[in-house]
Amino acid sequence: MVCEEFVDLITAWAEGEIDGVTEIAMLEHLAQCPDCAAYLDQIRRTTRLIGELRATESPTLTLRSRQLLREAFREAHRSDPGRG
Ligand SMILES: [Zn+2]
């Protein structure tokens, strides 16, 4: 699994919509990818938002939540060489 797949599946994972095999693959990816581990930590802070979106069961809001997650992912992976 690559990071893009992981990110694509995170929303489904948060909503319990993936099977056990896929979940294991995600956990295996987490074990070897510190970036995604850090990303998941961010997701946990966003879970409250996901929960609110789930309550509405709106496809539009689901897309919005995916967009928010992708933005958070890009923030987590962004390395600024000019920093520090
Ligand atoms: Zn990754």
Side-chain angles (χ1 to χ4, degrees):
M1 177 176 290
V2 299
C3 293
E4 284 191 5
E5 287 180 283
F6 185 87
V7 173
D8 277 342
L9 289 168
I10 278 235
T11 307
W13 192 18
E15 297 180 354
E17 293 179 351
I18 64 173
D19 57 42
V21 175
T22 304
E23 183 170 15
I24 289 172
M26 294 183 73
L27 292 173
E28 287 178 343
H29 181 83
L30 272 179
Q32 61 185 328
C33 184
D35 284 341
C36 282
Y39 175 55
L40 181 62
D41 189 53
Q42 280 196 316
I43 292 302
R44 289 197 172 112
R45 302 177 194 178
T46 318
T47 299
R48 178 165 51 99
L49 173 64
I50 294 174
E52 291 174 3
L53 296 177
R54 281 181 61 191
T56 67
E57 294 187 359
S58 165
T60 302
L61 289 178
T62 299
L63 287 172
R64 175 57 178 163
S65 72
R66 289 176 65 90
Q67 184 179 29
L68 288 172
L69 294 175
R70 284 181 176 278
E71 288 173 0
F73 177 76
R74 289 173 63 180
E75 284 291 322
H77 277 65
R78 186 174 61 187
S79 59
D80 188 348
R83 183 179 179 184

